[in-house]
DNA sequence: ATGAAAGCGCTAACAT
DNA sequence: ATGTTAGCGCTTTCAT
């Protein structure tokens, strides 16, 4: 059995309160007693019981993290960054996968609240009324990644997805392509996915190219979804000259599908992704993509959330980070950038 | 403020003890009072405070999970599987990345113990004396993935790494190759990595081919390490005919390096990996690799660990799961398997 | 079957 | 500066 504060107090010949003061550095204790306590703590190998602490402090020092799917590289890089920062601040992380299903997301958010986490970092691609209701009702510190909270009290960390998709699409259009396809996120993805799609459409519009829904398919962000989506596009006779996938994993899947169809990338079809996961520069061909500062996003979310948890005033809530388009082999048909 | 058991008791007109009995189904309560309690619980939106529960029960219902690096696909698939099973059993998981550094691993294990987790799932590639000391001293339920615990009380989930590496290497040797290289795990990887390397050497030995250390390099399991390692091999003049990487990510990196050197895979050099991460069948070329039942491993680790936590007697502690070699394009130079 | 009460390990008023 | 004490919210004897 682990030793308790009582054991320490007894051993050091002081009261529990003094021990508490020493281990929390909460009030000045004479250096004589402090030493005695420290020695006793050492000898008994004392570590305060977090449950007892939580019970009185009403803080768990646990941050809940709800993500879509850790097996997505974007997500795991993000999670690692969050974990790293949080741990340094003395917080632990409780991770849950939602698979992006709204009802499940709500369930998980509620569950985390019931577990009395101090705050929640929530990676999602869309915000429904239900989410917002939860935020309001729970009054828990929340940091959103990829979407904007709207509310002033909610942290939002993201890039300008619309702009990024716009620029990526423009790149293809400037090359003179008229059949630029897109593998977009599911239709219920009402923020990130919608924004990216909207950037794509805007680019077409500004270039005076008619939107052709035959050139657009949907995938649930996994590599196999990209594969399926691309195959559908390849078989419907529209012969896209370029394909823009809403995330890198789908781009990898799409390239695989294109290769399997006997076509080449980028010679026959150029492909671009979104995220710039570590694998993007090691795939064959290396992938042109929108670089998101993933680690920075994770760190920032954790940092701001902890500030709120600890009652500091957070200057900026809705943070839009810069992105960058990284050109690699998958779009290197005619020109090197 | 969340309501407490006292509020519920007052509202239902019963004692706290009765409320406790109802919400825990611990003792029979007359259906009349039970209803009253349930109604009050509902009306007050009561959820028991986990800290208070932990304090008396000495159980946190939290499982600590120490992994090398979530951004490795093998790891994230594993983590997802663990999380999924644990959540269904009412356990939450606390994940930490060790980066495979022994001293850090020990620190993290100790930290989790201090957090009073109910048990630990530990993914590591080697077991040092320090680890074993911790296991013994902590007397915490432990499940090891990828290594064998040795001890009877410790769960070990893995495949026969040595045999798998042996078979993979034999495949190359049977093709008549004499210069089969290996990108092995770091030398301080004293179990998984050592076993895989040892399988490689055994295969050479049984085929009567001299071991050539010029054909072997080391990498820390990340894609960039595979890249670097392969480049080193390509530049030292040994001209390997085939390359066997200790994990899929390094195989991807190696392929990239081979391509960058102007050679082709599998035409000039065949490449095989280890793990069979989801990406393996979508890379270009698709990757021949040792298929590990990753999800099964995660589920099993969680399942067995929870059994131990809950005091059930676990029949089998050291579980060796079957593997399978999956042949794909990266080794399809001369024959299709 | 139900309730009263003790206590889990800690913090924070309040005394001294 | 230090100690005493009253909880935090729950489970669990022990009575009834």
């Amino acid at each position: 059995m682990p030793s308790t504060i009582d054991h320490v107090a007894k051993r050091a010949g002081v009261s529990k309160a003094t021990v508490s003061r020493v281990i929390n550095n909460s009030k000045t204790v004479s250096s004589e007693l402090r030493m005695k306590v420290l020695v006793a703590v050492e000898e008994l190998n004392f570590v305060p019981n977090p449950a007892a602490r939580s019970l009185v402090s009403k803080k768990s020092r646990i941050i809940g993290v709800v993500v879509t799917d850790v097996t997505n590289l974007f997500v795991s890089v993000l999670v690692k960054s969050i974990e790293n920062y949080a741990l340094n601040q003395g917080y632990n992380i409780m991770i849950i996968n939602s698979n992006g299903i709204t009802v499940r997301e709500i369930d998980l958010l509620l569950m985390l609240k019931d577990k009395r986490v101090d705050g929640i970092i929530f990676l999602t691609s869309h915000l429904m009324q239900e989410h917002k209701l939860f935020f309001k009702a729970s009054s828990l510190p929340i940091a959103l990644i990829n979407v904007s909270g709207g509310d002033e009290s909610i942290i939002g960390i993201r890039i300008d997805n619309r702009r990024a998709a716009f620029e990526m699409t423009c790149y293809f259009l400037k090359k003179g392509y008229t059949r630029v396809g897109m593998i977009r996120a599911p239709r219920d993805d009402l923020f990130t996915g919608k924004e990216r799609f909207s950037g794509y459409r805007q680019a077409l519009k500004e270039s005076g190219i008619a939107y052709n829904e035959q050139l657009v398919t949907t995938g649930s962000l996994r590599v196999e979804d990209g594969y399926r989506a691309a195959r559908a596009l390849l078989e419907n006779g529209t012969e896209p000259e370029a394909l823009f996938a809403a995330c890198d994993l789908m781009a990898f899947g799409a390239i695989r599908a294109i290769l399997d169809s006997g076509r080449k990338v980028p010679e026959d079809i150029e492909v671009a992704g979104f995220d710039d996961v570590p694998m993007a520069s090691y795939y064959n061909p290396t992938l042109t993509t929108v670089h998101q500062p993933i680690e920075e996003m994770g760190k920032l979310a954790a940092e701001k959330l902890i500030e709120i948890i600890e009652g500091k005033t957070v200057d900026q809530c809705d943070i839009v980070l810069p992105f960058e388009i990284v050109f690699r082999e998958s779009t290197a048909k005619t020109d090197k950038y």
Side-chain angles (χ1 to χ4, degrees), chain A residues 162-173:
Chain A
R162 189 158 182 277
R163 179 86 208 167
F166 173 79
E167 290 184 12
M168 192 75 247
T169 311
C170 283
Y171 167 76
F172 287 133
L173 297 173

Side-chain angles (χ1 to χ4, degrees), chain A residues 72-74 248-249 252 275-281 289 294 328:
Chain A
N72 182 307
L73 277 167
F74 172 82
D248 285 351
L249 287 188
F252 297 145
D275 286 346
D276 198 22
V277 297
M279 186 67 97
S281 42
T289 187
I294 314 182
R328 302 204 181 95

Side-chain angles (χ1 to χ4, degrees), chain A residues 51-99:
Chain A
R53 277 190 154 168
S54 294
L55 190 55
V56 18
S57 70
K58 278 139 176 45
K59 297 280 176 219
S60 61
R61 294 199 79 83
I62 294 176
I63 292 175
V65 180
V66 177
V67 297
T68 47
D69 177 5
V70 250
T71 67
N72 182 307
L73 277 167
F74 172 82
V75 178
S76 58
V77 172
L78 195 70
V79 164
K80 190 177 182 187
S81 168
I82 292 171
E83 190 259 321
N84 187 48
Y85 185 85
L87 206 61
N88 276 331
Q89 304 296 312
Y91 285 82
N92 282 90
I93 291 250
M94 218 168 238
I95 297 188
I96 319 201
N97 295 94
S98 69
N99 294 322

Side-chain angles (χ1 to χ4, degrees), chain A residues 314-328:
Chain A
V314 175
D315 42 323
Q316 211 187 348
C317 270
D318 197 40
I319 301 179
V320 179
L321 261 26
F323 64 86
E324 188 187 348
I325 297 187
V326 187
F327 295 95
R328 302 204 181 95

Side-chain angles (χ1 to χ4, degrees), chain A residues 13-233:
Chain A
V14 300
S15 70
K16 300 195 313 185
T18 299
V19 176
S20 176
R21 283 170 193 130
V22 171
I23 61 180
N24 293 302
N25 268 315
S26 52
K27 276 194 179 172
T28 44
V29 174
S30 74
S31 56
E32 183 196 6
L33 289 194
R34 150 167 266 106
M35 274 315 290
K36 281 189 185 171
V37 169
L38 258 19
V39 167
V41 163
E42 189 67 26
E43 288 175 344
L44 296 174
N45 233 303
F46 169 73
V47 179
N49 181 319
R53 277 190 154 168
S54 294
L55 190 55
V56 18
S57 70
K58 278 139 176 45
K59 297 280 176 219
S60 61
R61 294 199 79 83
I62 294 176
I63 292 175
V65 180
V66 177
V67 297
T68 47
D69 177 5
V70 250
T71 67
N72 182 307
L73 277 167
F74 172 82
V75 178
S76 58
V77 172
L78 195 70
V79 164
K80 190 177 182 187
S81 168
I82 292 171
E83 190 259 321
N84 187 48
Y85 185 85
L87 206 61
N88 276 331
Q89 304 296 312
Y91 285 82
N92 282 90
I93 291 250
M94 218 168 238
I95 297 188
I96 319 201
N97 295 94
S98 69
N99 294 322
I101 303 162
T102 305
V103 288
R104 187 171 151 83
E105 285 176 340
I106 304 293
D107 278 353
L108 297 176
L109 291 170
L110 285 168
M111 194 207 73
L112 286 174
K113 180 189 161 66
D114 291 346
K115 295 283 174 187
R116 310 294 204 271
V117 296
D118 290 343
I120 294 179
I121 295 179
F122 184 26
L123 170 67
T124 186
S125 52
H126 62 290
L127 234 40
M128 310 288 284
Q129 204 51 44
E130 296 100 299
H131 294 123
K132 295 187 178 172
L133 270 173
F134 171 82
F135 299 154
K136 193 139 284 173
S138 76
S139 70
L140 219 52
I142 306 272
L144 265 22
I145 294 178
N146 263 359
V147 301
S148 165
D151 199 301
E152 263 316 294
S153 64
I154 293 178
I155 309 281
I157 313 282
R158 60 194 170 95
I159 65 163
D160 186 340
N161 286 283
R162 189 158 182 277
R163 179 86 208 167
F166 173 79
E167 290 184 12
M168 192 75 247
T169 311
C170 283
Y171 167 76
F172 287 133
L173 297 173
K174 283 213 187 86
K175 280 192 164 179
Y177 297 154
T178 55
R179 297 188 305 281
V180 177
M182 175 156 193
I183 302 178
R184 57 175 295 194
R187 271 158 220 290
D188 63 358
D189 181 334
L190 295 174
F191 192 88
T192 316
K194 194 175 170 190
E195 290 275 291
R196 292 179 191 173
F197 179 60
S198 141
Y200 162 79
R201 290 204 59 165
Q202 193 194 346
L204 291 179
K205 194 172 170 190
E206 292 195 6
S207 300
I209 297 191
Y211 170 65
N212 176 0
E213 69 170 13
Q214 289 275 86
L215 281 167
V216 176
T217 31
T218 291
S220 305
L221 306 183
R222 292 165 312 174
V223 61
E224 55 264 42
D225 299 311
Y227 186 88
R228 252 183 263 121
R231 209 159 71 174
L233 281 184

